[in-house]
Amino acid sequence: AMKFGEFLERLEAGEEGLYMTTQESLGDADDAPGVMGAPLVGALEEDFPLRPELAPVLIPANINLWMGRSRDGASSGLHHDYHDNLYLLLRGRKCFDLFSPKHAEALYPRGDLVRVHKNGRINYAGKETFADGHDEASEKAVAAFKQLKAAEMDAEDEDEDKLDAALEAVLDAEMAGQDDEDFDDDFDDEEDDCEPSFGDGDEGTDDPRALGAALDFSERSAGEAALGKPKAEGANGGRGAAEEQEKTPPDNFSRIDLSQPREAILRGFPRFHEAKQLECEFQEGSMLYLPAGWFHNVTSFSGEDKSGVHMALNYWFHPPDGTGLAKPYSTDFWQEAFAERFGPDGPGL
């Protein structure tokens, strides 16, 4: 790992190819993943809102800062995120290659594809969730915590049997969470999701909001050998500053290397021809809203100002699965999690 000070010194010296991606999120006093959990982002919390006015009804999962230097362009590798992503470009230039989640099977993700929810949220074998990203184990943990809280209040009236039962329920929920250890794929985005600990936490459209019925896959088409190994950076999940990581890319990375000629890609991954590709280029001061499940390859170019860097800030929101602005989520799970973290009068509540 590299310390941020060293990263800045090397950037200032003009070193190319450096890229600070998703920072490790520090938990709060109760080990709930922090929304602004990374120390660097936390130090800047007075400089931007926890819940931007542009998306006042969405529940933030995580906020990250991205920064690097590359005149010729640094690629993230083709992948999707598990959250809705509001991406703000502060310096430099970014090029996005975009593919709808309805073409997920034709994009050959590394994980065993099980389901694409109507809102774009993608599930892999052993890591199934509801459309908004929470799962049954999380619900049980929340219910157990609420039971414990009520029992603690009753204990003041000497009802120790209720307290014992509540403690046992919490233990059972924790054991269930260990059995489902990879639900933490929500910080794999290398999502994945900031799972709250209530311990104190149609064809014809590329809009996943209009996909119609959810897509289900009983088995995933097997691609042949990958044409190249994308770097595990930029996918809500590369850990540390400018760190070269020799590890297997997570489930949400595609096996396809877009830098290869199209003919070569199709030889290895014949269904790729089904995927409609969109291209988007934007400059500093621009924003991009990318719903969960959209595959994207991001190429970052340094700015032409004296800083010579590219820099972006992004918000990951738990993907909405409700009926509209009045009810963005089908359940109150994330709203209650946010209120538990920041209080009933927290930002945007």
Side-chain angles (χ1 to χ4, degrees):
M2 183 188 302
K3 291 187 177 181
F4 186 59
E6 179 187 350
F7 174 71
L8 291 180
E9 290 174 357
R10 291 168 63 172
L11 273 184
E12 191 172 9
E15 185 171 336
E16 290 281 316
L18 296 174
Y19 193 13
M20 180 179 71
T21 64
T22 312
Q23 299 92 56
E24 188 76 56
S25 178
L26 301 180
D28 61 18
D30 298 289
D31 284 334
V35 176
M36 294 185 182
L40 178 59
V41 176
L44 302 173
E45 63 180 331
E46 299 299 326
D47 297 316
F48 54 86
L50 178 61
R51 300 185 75 177
E53 293 183 10
L54 188 63
V57 299
L58 299 182
I59 305 298
N62 193 235
I63 303 171
N64 272 279
L65 187 68
W66 313 77
M67 182 164 52
R69 180 191 295 276
S70 179
R71 287 192 305 268
D72 299 326
S75 174
S76 66
L78 183 60
H79 65 280
H80 70 81
D81 297 336
Y82 297 86
H83 298 95
D84 281 25
N85 185 352
L86 178 61
Y87 197 91
L88 297 80
L89 186 56
L90 307 177
R91 293 285 188 275
R93 178 169 61 94
K94 300 269 184 174
C95 296
F96 279 71
D97 298 296
L98 304 171
F99 301 85
S100 167
K102 74 177 181 180
H103 297 305
E105 195 172 19
L107 294 168
Y108 298 89
R110 293 181 176 272
D112 292 326
L113 190 60
V114 172
R115 180 179 177 86
V116 178
H117 291 277
K118 288 189 289 185
N119 66 348
R121 170 81 188 206
I122 296 177
N123 286 167
Y124 295 100
K127 304 177 183 180
E128 291 86 351
T129 70
F130 299 114
D132 67 352
H134 82 282
D135 67 355
E136 293 182 1
S138 302
E139 286 192 340
K140 290 178 181 177
V142 170
F145 171 75
K146 289 179 177 179
Q147 182 182 349
L148 178 59
K149 240 183 173 180
E152 286 174 341
M153 296 181 66
D154 289 340
E156 296 177 4
D157 298 324
E158 299 183 355
D159 192 342
E160 295 185 2
D161 289 341
K162 282 188 178 180
L163 181 57
D164 289 342
L167 288 170
E168 184 174 348
V170 169
L171 181 59
D172 289 344
E174 289 180 350
M175 294 300 292
Q178 290 174 9
D179 291 339
D180 191 25
E181 61 185 13
D182 279 321
F183 178 62
D184 221 10
D185 105 301
D186 264 25
F187 263 129
D188 279 345
D189 249 335
E190 212 188 7
E191 143 234 345
D192 242 340
D193 285 352
C194 288
E195 187 178 351
S197 166
F198 274 58
D200 192 47
D202 64 58
E203 202 63 32
T205 176
D206 280 307
D207 182 357
R209 303 281 184 252
L211 285 178
L215 306 176
D216 289 287
F217 300 92
S218 57
E219 59 182 63
R220 175 179 163 279
S221 299
E224 297 183 13
L227 293 171
K229 178 181 178 182
K231 293 180 180 178
E233 64 181 20
N236 1 343
R239 307 288 193 227
E243 189 175 17
E244 289 292 336
Q245 299 182 354
E246 294 297 324
K247 66 176 185 178
T248 302
D251 290 347
N252 57 319
F253 270 85
S254 170
R255 298 177 182 274
I256 295 170
D257 180 359
L258 291 181
S259 69
Q260 297 289 319
R262 183 173 179 84
E263 296 77 11
I265 293 175
L266 289 173
R267 282 197 299 270
F269 307 99
R271 292 197 60 182
F272 180 63
H273 75 91
E274 301 172 18
K276 180 180 178 181
Q277 181 174 351
L278 304 175
E279 296 179 0
C280 173
E281 178 176 332
F282 63 116
Q283 310 289 334
E284 59 185 66
S286 300
M287 295 185 294
L288 175 69
Y289 190 91
L290 193 63
W294 275 72
F295 283 77
H296 51 287
N297 178 76
V298 188
T299 307
S300 304
F301 297 89
S302 299
E304 297 181 0
D305 60 6
K306 63 180 181 180
S307 72
V309 302
H310 54 80
M311 182 186 301
L313 180 79
N314 88 296
Y315 291 82
W316 276 307
F317 299 104
H318 296 292
D321 64 334
T323 56
L325 290 175
K327 188 174 178 55
Y329 297 96
S330 62
T331 74
D332 294 328
F333 183 88
W334 292 119
Q335 186 82 357
E336 291 180 359
F338 194 82
E340 185 69 32
R341 178 77 58 82
F342 296 100
D345 298 320
L349 297 177

PDB file of all heavy atoms in Angstrom, residues 144-174:
ATOM      1  N   ALA A 144     -33.493  -8.803  14.622  1.00  0.00           N
ATOM      2  CA  ALA A 144     -32.892  -9.237  15.887  1.00  0.00           C
ATOM      3  C   ALA A 144     -32.424  -8.052  16.700  1.00  0.00           C
ATOM      4  O   ALA A 144     -32.571  -8.015  17.927  1.00  0.00           O
ATOM      5  CB  ALA A 144     -31.724 -10.184  15.602  1.00  0.00           C
ATOM      6  N   PHE A 145     -31.855  -7.045  16.016  1.00  0.00           N
ATOM      7  CA  PHE A 145     -31.391  -5.868  16.732  1.00  0.00           C
ATOM      8  C   PHE A 145     -32.555  -5.119  17.362  1.00  0.00           C
ATOM      9  O   PHE A 145     -32.486  -4.680  18.513  1.00  0.00           O
ATOM     10  CB  PHE A 145     -30.636  -4.942  15.790  1.00  0.00           C
ATOM     11  CG  PHE A 145     -30.302  -3.609  16.412  1.00  0.00           C
ATOM     12  CD1 PHE A 145     -29.287  -3.514  17.349  1.00  0.00           C
ATOM     13  CD2 PHE A 145     -31.017  -2.477  16.080  1.00  0.00           C
ATOM     14  CE1 PHE A 145     -29.003  -2.301  17.947  1.00  0.00           C
ATOM     15  CE2 PHE A 145     -30.727  -1.266  16.666  1.00  0.00           C
ATOM     16  CZ  PHE A 145     -29.715  -1.174  17.606  1.00  0.00           C
ATOM     17  N   LYS A 146     -33.649  -4.990  16.600  1.00  0.00           N
ATOM     18  CA  LYS A 146     -34.819  -4.297  17.154  1.00  0.00           C
ATOM     19  C   LYS A 146     -35.363  -5.060  18.351  1.00  0.00           C
ATOM     20  O   LYS A 146     -35.769  -4.456  19.363  1.00  0.00           O
ATOM     21  CB  LYS A 146     -35.896  -4.157  16.075  1.00  0.00           C
ATOM     22  CG  LYS A 146     -35.541  -3.168  14.987  1.00  0.00           C
ATOM     23  CD  LYS A 146     -36.648  -3.100  13.933  1.00  0.00           C
ATOM     24  CE  LYS A 146     -36.345  -2.071  12.867  1.00  0.00           C
ATOM     25  NZ  LYS A 146     -37.401  -2.018  11.822  1.00  0.00           N
ATOM     26  N   GLN A 147     -35.362  -6.399  18.264  1.00  0.00           N
ATOM     27  CA  GLN A 147     -35.825  -7.213  19.384  1.00  0.00           C
ATOM     28  C   GLN A 147     -34.934  -7.007  20.598  1.00  0.00           C
ATOM     29  O   GLN A 147     -35.410  -6.899  21.736  1.00  0.00           O
ATOM     30  CB  GLN A 147     -35.834  -8.686  18.974  1.00  0.00           C
ATOM     31  CG  GLN A 147     -36.342  -9.640  20.053  1.00  0.00           C
ATOM     32  CD  GLN A 147     -36.276 -11.087  19.607  1.00  0.00           C
ATOM     33  OE1 GLN A 147     -36.053 -11.389  18.426  1.00  0.00           O
ATOM     34  NE2 GLN A 147     -36.469 -12.009  20.549  1.00  0.00           N
ATOM     35  N   LEU A 148     -33.622  -6.929  20.349  1.00  0.00           N
ATOM     36  CA  LEU A 148     -32.680  -6.714  21.448  1.00  0.00           C
ATOM     37  C   LEU A 148     -32.902  -5.355  22.104  1.00  0.00           C
ATOM     38  O   LEU A 148     -32.879  -5.230  23.327  1.00  0.00           O
ATOM     39  CB  LEU A 148     -31.251  -6.820  20.922  1.00  0.00           C
ATOM     40  CG  LEU A 148     -30.136  -6.574  21.948  1.00  0.00           C
ATOM     41  CD1 LEU A 148     -30.230  -7.567  23.114  1.00  0.00           C
ATOM     42  CD2 LEU A 148     -28.777  -6.661  21.280  1.00  0.00           C
ATOM     43  N   LYS A 149     -33.133  -4.336  21.262  1.00  0.00           N
ATOM     44  CA  LYS A 149     -33.346  -3.004  21.817  1.00  0.00           C
ATOM     45  C   LYS A 149     -34.574  -2.974  22.719  1.00  0.00           C
ATOM     46  O   LYS A 149     -34.555  -2.406  23.814  1.00  0.00           O
ATOM     47  CB  LYS A 149     -33.528  -2.000  20.669  1.00  0.00           C
ATOM     48  CG  LYS A 149     -32.482  -0.902  20.660  1.00  0.00           C
ATOM     49  CD  LYS A 149     -32.771   0.083  19.545  1.00  0.00           C
ATOM     50  CE  LYS A 149     -31.806   1.252  19.692  1.00  0.00           C
ATOM     51  NZ  LYS A 149     -32.019   2.266  18.630  1.00  0.00           N
ATOM     52  N   ALA A 150     -35.657  -3.624  22.235  1.00  0.00           N
ATOM     53  CA  ALA A 150     -36.875  -3.657  23.033  1.00  0.00           C
ATOM     54  C   ALA A 150     -36.661  -4.453  24.311  1.00  0.00           C
ATOM     55  O   ALA A 150     -37.136  -4.073  25.394  1.00  0.00           O
ATOM     56  CB  ALA A 150     -38.012  -4.270  22.207  1.00  0.00           C
ATOM     57  N   ALA A 151     -35.893  -5.541  24.207  1.00  0.00           N
ATOM     58  CA  ALA A 151     -35.639  -6.367  25.385  1.00  0.00           C
ATOM     59  C   ALA A 151     -34.792  -5.620  26.406  1.00  0.00           C
ATOM     60  O   ALA A 151     -34.977  -5.786  27.624  1.00  0.00           O
ATOM     61  CB  ALA A 151     -34.943  -7.658  24.972  1.00  0.00           C
ATOM     62  N   GLU A 152     -33.852  -4.817  25.943  1.00  0.00           N
ATOM     63  CA  GLU A 152     -33.016  -4.035  26.859  1.00  0.00           C
ATOM     64  C   GLU A 152     -33.869  -3.059  27.652  1.00  0.00           C
ATOM     65  O   GLU A 152     -33.632  -2.824  28.846  1.00  0.00           O
ATOM     66  CB  GLU A 152     -31.933  -3.297  26.089  1.00  0.00           C
ATOM     67  CG  GLU A 152     -30.810  -4.214  25.604  1.00  0.00           C
ATOM     68  CD  GLU A 152     -29.810  -3.491  24.725  1.00  0.00           C
ATOM     69  OE1 GLU A 152     -30.154  -2.406  24.192  1.00  0.00           O
ATOM     70  OE2 GLU A 152     -28.688  -4.007  24.558  1.00  0.00           O
ATOM     71  N   MET A 153     -34.881  -2.502  26.982  1.00  0.00           N
ATOM     72  CA  MET A 153     -35.782  -1.597  27.695  1.00  0.00           C
ATOM     73  C   MET A 153     -36.615  -2.374  28.705  1.00  0.00           C
ATOM     74  O   MET A 153     -36.826  -1.925  29.830  1.00  0.00           O
ATOM     75  CB  MET A 153     -36.685  -0.868  26.699  1.00  0.00           C
ATOM     76  CG  MET A 153     -35.929   0.048  25.754  1.00  0.00           C
ATOM     77  SD  MET A 153     -37.019   0.923  24.617  1.00  0.00           S
ATOM     78  CE  MET A 153     -37.921   1.963  25.751  1.00  0.00           C
ATOM     79  N   ASP A 154     -37.063  -3.579  28.290  1.00  0.00           N
ATOM     80  CA  ASP A 154     -37.847  -4.403  29.213  1.00  0.00           C
ATOM     81  C   ASP A 154     -37.000  -4.878  30.388  1.00  0.00           C
ATOM     82  O   ASP A 154     -37.507  -5.099  31.488  1.00  0.00           O
ATOM     83  CB  ASP A 154     -38.444  -5.614  28.491  1.00  0.00           C
ATOM     84  CG  ASP A 154     -39.555  -5.221  27.531  1.00  0.00           C
ATOM     85  OD1 ASP A 154     -40.108  -4.116  27.706  1.00  0.00           O
ATOM     86  OD2 ASP A 154     -39.847  -6.005  26.608  1.00  0.00           O
ATOM     87  N   ALA A 155     -35.690  -5.048  30.129  1.00  0.00           N
ATOM     88  CA  ALA A 155     -34.807  -5.537  31.183  1.00  0.00           C
ATOM     89  C   ALA A 155     -34.755  -4.577  32.353  1.00  0.00           C
ATOM     90  O   ALA A 155     -34.475  -4.969  33.489  1.00  0.00           O
ATOM     91  CB  ALA A 155     -33.409  -5.769  30.633  1.00  0.00           C
ATOM     92  N   GLU A 156     -35.015  -3.308  32.037  1.00  0.00           N
ATOM     93  CA  GLU A 156     -35.062  -2.334  33.125  1.00  0.00           C
ATOM     94  C   GLU A 156     -36.204  -2.661  34.072  1.00  0.00           C
ATOM     95  O   GLU A 156     -36.208  -2.256  35.233  1.00  0.00           O
ATOM     96  CB  GLU A 156     -35.224  -0.923  32.556  1.00  0.00           C
ATOM     97  CG  GLU A 156     -34.022  -0.492  31.712  1.00  0.00           C
ATOM     98  CD  GLU A 156     -34.218   0.872  31.093  1.00  0.00           C
ATOM     99  OE1 GLU A 156     -35.255   1.509  31.389  1.00  0.00           O
ATOM    100  OE2 GLU A 156     -33.349   1.303  30.320  1.00  0.00           O
ATOM    101  N   ASP A 157     -37.185  -3.405  33.514  1.00  0.00           N
ATOM    102  CA  ASP A 157     -38.298  -3.856  34.356  1.00  0.00           C
ATOM    103  C   ASP A 157     -38.090  -5.307  34.771  1.00  0.00           C
ATOM    104  O   ASP A 157     -39.027  -6.011  35.138  1.00  0.00           O
ATOM    105  CB  ASP A 157     -39.627  -3.737  33.586  1.00  0.00           C
ATOM    106  CG  ASP A 157     -39.923  -2.302  33.217  1.00  0.00           C
ATOM    107  OD1 ASP A 157     -39.599  -1.411  34.011  1.00  0.00           O
ATOM    108  OD2 ASP A 157     -40.473  -2.081  32.115  1.00  0.00           O
ATOM    109  N   GLU A 158     -36.843  -5.778  34.668  1.00  0.00           N
ATOM    110  CA  GLU A 158     -36.417  -7.101  35.127  1.00  0.00           C
ATOM    111  C   GLU A 158     -37.017  -8.242  34.315  1.00  0.00           C
ATOM    112  O   GLU A 158     -37.248  -9.328  34.842  1.00  0.00           O
ATOM    113  CB  GLU A 158     -36.747  -7.264  36.611  1.00  0.00           C
ATOM    114  CG  GLU A 158     -36.034  -6.239  37.486  1.00  0.00           C
ATOM    115  CD  GLU A 158     -36.316  -6.455  38.961  1.00  0.00           C
ATOM    116  OE1 GLU A 158     -37.137  -7.332  39.280  1.00  0.00           O
ATOM    117  OE2 GLU A 158     -35.707  -5.741  39.768  1.00  0.00           O
ATOM    118  N   ASP A 159     -37.263  -8.029  33.027  1.00  0.00           N
ATOM    119  CA  ASP A 159     -37.737  -9.109  32.169  1.00  0.00           C
ATOM    120  C   ASP A 159     -36.525  -9.723  31.471  1.00  0.00           C
ATOM    121  O   ASP A 159     -36.265  -9.480  30.300  1.00  0.00           O
ATOM    122  CB  ASP A 159     -38.750  -8.585  31.141  1.00  0.00           C
ATOM    123  CG  ASP A 159     -39.486  -9.721  30.437  1.00  0.00           C
ATOM    124  OD1 ASP A 159     -38.980 -10.851  30.500  1.00  0.00           O
ATOM    125  OD2 ASP A 159     -40.548  -9.462  29.840  1.00  0.00           O
ATOM    126  N   GLU A 160     -35.768 -10.532  32.218  1.00  0.00           N
ATOM    127  CA  GLU A 160     -34.515 -11.071  31.698  1.00  0.00           C
ATOM    128  C   GLU A 160     -34.741 -12.154  30.648  1.00  0.00           C
ATOM    129  O   GLU A 160     -33.887 -12.387  29.793  1.00  0.00           O
ATOM    130  CB  GLU A 160     -33.680 -11.623  32.852  1.00  0.00           C
ATOM    131  CG  GLU A 160     -33.222 -10.537  33.820  1.00  0.00           C
ATOM    132  CD  GLU A 160     -32.293 -11.072  34.884  1.00  0.00           C
ATOM    133  OE1 GLU A 160     -31.990 -12.291  34.830  1.00  0.00           O
ATOM    134  OE2 GLU A 160     -31.880 -10.295  35.754  1.00  0.00           O
ATOM    135  N   ASP A 161     -35.883 -12.840  30.671  1.00  0.00           N
ATOM    136  CA  ASP A 161     -36.150 -13.865  29.666  1.00  0.00           C
ATOM    137  C   ASP A 161     -36.199 -13.263  28.260  1.00  0.00           C
ATOM    138  O   ASP A 161     -35.671 -13.820  27.303  1.00  0.00           O
ATOM    139  CB  ASP A 161     -37.483 -14.566  29.965  1.00  0.00           C
ATOM    140  CG  ASP A 161     -37.361 -15.462  31.198  1.00  0.00           C
ATOM    141  OD1 ASP A 161     -36.216 -15.812  31.559  1.00  0.00           O
ATOM    142  OD2 ASP A 161     -38.407 -15.811  31.767  1.00  0.00           O
ATOM    143  N   LYS A 162     -36.826 -12.104  28.138  1.00  0.00           N
ATOM    144  CA  LYS A 162     -36.893 -11.427  26.844  1.00  0.00           C
ATOM    145  C   LYS A 162     -35.500 -11.034  26.370  1.00  0.00           C
ATOM    146  O   LYS A 162     -35.168 -11.143  25.193  1.00  0.00           O
ATOM    147  CB  LYS A 162     -37.792 -10.184  26.927  1.00  0.00           C
ATOM    148  CG  LYS A 162     -39.276 -10.488  26.889  1.00  0.00           C
ATOM    149  CD  LYS A 162     -40.067  -9.189  26.767  1.00  0.00           C
ATOM    150  CE  LYS A 162     -41.562  -9.474  26.671  1.00  0.00           C
ATOM    151  NZ  LYS A 162     -42.360  -8.218  26.543  1.00  0.00           N
ATOM    152  N   LEU A 163     -34.673 -10.569  27.289  1.00  0.00           N
ATOM    153  CA  LEU A 163     -33.317 -10.153  26.927  1.00  0.00           C
ATOM    154  C   LEU A 163     -32.503 -11.349  26.452  1.00  0.00           C
ATOM    155  O   LEU A 163     -31.781 -11.269  25.454  1.00  0.00           O
ATOM    156  CB  LEU A 163     -32.648  -9.483  28.124  1.00  0.00           C
ATOM    157  CG  LEU A 163     -31.219  -8.961  27.887  1.00  0.00           C
ATOM    158  CD1 LEU A 163     -31.207  -7.964  26.728  1.00  0.00           C
ATOM    159  CD2 LEU A 163     -30.666  -8.324  29.151  1.00  0.00           C
ATOM    160  N   ASP A 164     -32.627 -12.480  27.166  1.00  0.00           N
ATOM    161  CA  ASP A 164     -31.910 -13.685  26.756  1.00  0.00           C
ATOM    162  C   ASP A 164     -32.343 -14.132  25.361  1.00  0.00           C
ATOM    163  O   ASP A 164     -31.507 -14.501  24.528  1.00  0.00           O
ATOM    164  CB  ASP A 164     -32.152 -14.814  27.766  1.00  0.00           C
ATOM    165  CG  ASP A 164     -31.442 -14.559  29.092  1.00  0.00           C
ATOM    166  OD1 ASP A 164     -30.522 -13.717  29.108  1.00  0.00           O
ATOM    167  OD2 ASP A 164     -31.820 -15.200  30.091  1.00  0.00           O
ATOM    168  N   ALA A 165     -33.641 -14.099  25.107  1.00  0.00           N
ATOM    169  CA  ALA A 165     -34.148 -14.509  23.794  1.00  0.00           C
ATOM    170  C   ALA A 165     -33.655 -13.567  22.696  1.00  0.00           C
ATOM    171  O   ALA A 165     -33.307 -13.994  21.598  1.00  0.00           O
ATOM    172  CB  ALA A 165     -35.678 -14.543  23.810  1.00  0.00           C
ATOM    173  N   ALA A 166     -33.599 -12.280  23.008  1.00  0.00           N
ATOM    174  CA  ALA A 166     -33.137 -11.300  22.022  1.00  0.00           C
ATOM    175  C   ALA A 166     -31.660 -11.486  21.726  1.00  0.00           C
ATOM    176  O   ALA A 166     -31.230 -11.401  20.577  1.00  0.00           O
ATOM    177  CB  ALA A 166     -33.406  -9.892  22.532  1.00  0.00           C
ATOM    178  N   LEU A 167     -30.862 -11.728  22.759  1.00  0.00           N
ATOM    179  CA  LEU A 167     -29.428 -11.961  22.542  1.00  0.00           C
ATOM    180  C   LEU A 167     -29.202 -13.198  21.691  1.00  0.00           C
ATOM    181  O   LEU A 167     -28.311 -13.230  20.836  1.00  0.00           O
ATOM    182  CB  LEU A 167     -28.721 -12.097  23.893  1.00  0.00           C
ATOM    183  CG  LEU A 167     -28.577 -10.809  24.707  1.00  0.00           C
ATOM    184  CD1 LEU A 167     -28.079 -11.123  26.121  1.00  0.00           C
ATOM    185  CD2 LEU A 167     -27.605  -9.854  24.007  1.00  0.00           C
ATOM    186  N   GLU A 168     -30.004 -14.241  21.926  1.00  0.00           N
ATOM    187  CA  GLU A 168     -29.881 -15.459  21.133  1.00  0.00           C
ATOM    188  C   GLU A 168     -30.241 -15.184  19.669  1.00  0.00           C
ATOM    189  O   GLU A 168     -29.598 -15.697  18.742  1.00  0.00           O
ATOM    190  CB  GLU A 168     -30.798 -16.538  21.706  1.00  0.00           C
ATOM    191  CG  GLU A 168     -30.644 -17.880  20.995  1.00  0.00           C
ATOM    192  CD  GLU A 168     -31.449 -18.985  21.662  1.00  0.00           C
ATOM    193  OE1 GLU A 168     -31.934 -18.783  22.796  1.00  0.00           O
ATOM    194  OE2 GLU A 168     -31.576 -20.056  21.032  1.00  0.00           O
ATOM    195  N   ALA A 169     -31.262 -14.340  19.440  1.00  0.00           N
ATOM    196  CA  ALA A 169     -31.659 -13.999  18.065  1.00  0.00           C
ATOM    197  C   ALA A 169     -30.552 -13.238  17.350  1.00  0.00           C
ATOM    198  O   ALA A 169     -30.280 -13.455  16.163  1.00  0.00           O
ATOM    199  CB  ALA A 169     -32.944 -13.165  18.078  1.00  0.00           C
ATOM    200  N   VAL A 170     -29.883 -12.335  18.068  1.00  0.00           N
ATOM    201  CA  VAL A 170     -28.768 -11.587  17.477  1.00  0.00           C
ATOM    202  C   VAL A 170     -27.636 -12.531  17.108  1.00  0.00           C
ATOM    203  O   VAL A 170     -27.037 -12.439  16.027  1.00  0.00           O
ATOM    204  CB  VAL A 170     -28.272 -10.498  18.442  1.00  0.00           C
ATOM    205  CG1 VAL A 170     -26.959  -9.900  17.954  1.00  0.00           C
ATOM    206  CG2 VAL A 170     -29.324  -9.404  18.580  1.00  0.00           C
ATOM    207  N   LEU A 171     -27.335 -13.480  17.997  1.00  0.00           N
ATOM    208  CA  LEU A 171     -26.273 -14.445  17.719  1.00  0.00           C
ATOM    209  C   LEU A 171     -26.613 -15.292  16.504  1.00  0.00           C
ATOM    210  O   LEU A 171     -25.766 -15.536  15.638  1.00  0.00           O
ATOM    211  CB  LEU A 171     -26.057 -15.334  18.943  1.00  0.00           C
ATOM    212  CG  LEU A 171     -24.949 -16.396  18.811  1.00  0.00           C
ATOM    213  CD1 LEU A 171     -23.611 -15.741  18.528  1.00  0.00           C
ATOM    214  CD2 LEU A 171     -24.868 -17.246  20.074  1.00  0.00           C
ATOM    215  N   ASP A 172     -27.875 -15.736  16.415  1.00  0.00           N
ATOM    216  CA  ASP A 172     -28.308 -16.527  15.261  1.00  0.00           C
ATOM    217  C   ASP A 172     -28.159 -15.729  13.970  1.00  0.00           C
ATOM    218  O   ASP A 172     -27.724 -16.254  12.941  1.00  0.00           O
ATOM    219  CB  ASP A 172     -29.764 -16.968  15.422  1.00  0.00           C
ATOM    220  CG  ASP A 172     -29.928 -18.031  16.499  1.00  0.00           C
ATOM    221  OD1 ASP A 172     -28.907 -18.633  16.892  1.00  0.00           O
ATOM    222  OD2 ASP A 172     -31.073 -18.238  16.951  1.00  0.00           O
ATOM    223  N   ALA A 173     -28.504 -14.431  14.017  1.00  0.00           N
ATOM    224  CA  ALA A 173     -28.397 -13.586  12.820  1.00  0.00           C
ATOM    225  C   ALA A 173     -26.949 -13.410  12.405  1.00  0.00           C
ATOM    226  O   ALA A 173     -26.610 -13.421  11.222  1.00  0.00           O
ATOM    227  CB  ALA A 173     -29.047 -12.224  13.089  1.00  0.00           C
ATOM    228  N   GLU A 174     -26.049 -13.267  13.396  1.00  0.00           N
ATOM    229  CA  GLU A 174     -24.631 -13.121  13.087  1.00  0.00           C
ATOM    230  C   GLU A 174     -24.085 -14.392  12.458  1.00  0.00           C
ATOM    231  O   GLU A 174     -23.287 -14.348  11.507  1.00  0.00           O
ATOM    232  CB  GLU A 174     -23.856 -12.777  14.356  1.00  0.00           C
ATOM    233  CG  GLU A 174     -24.115 -11.361  14.849  1.00  0.00           C
ATOM    234  CD  GLU A 174     -23.328 -11.053  16.113  1.00  0.00           C
ATOM    235  OE1 GLU A 174     -22.745 -12.002  16.688  1.00  0.00           O
ATOM    236  OE2 GLU A 174     -23.285  -9.886  16.507  1.00  0.00           O
TER     237      GLU A 174
END
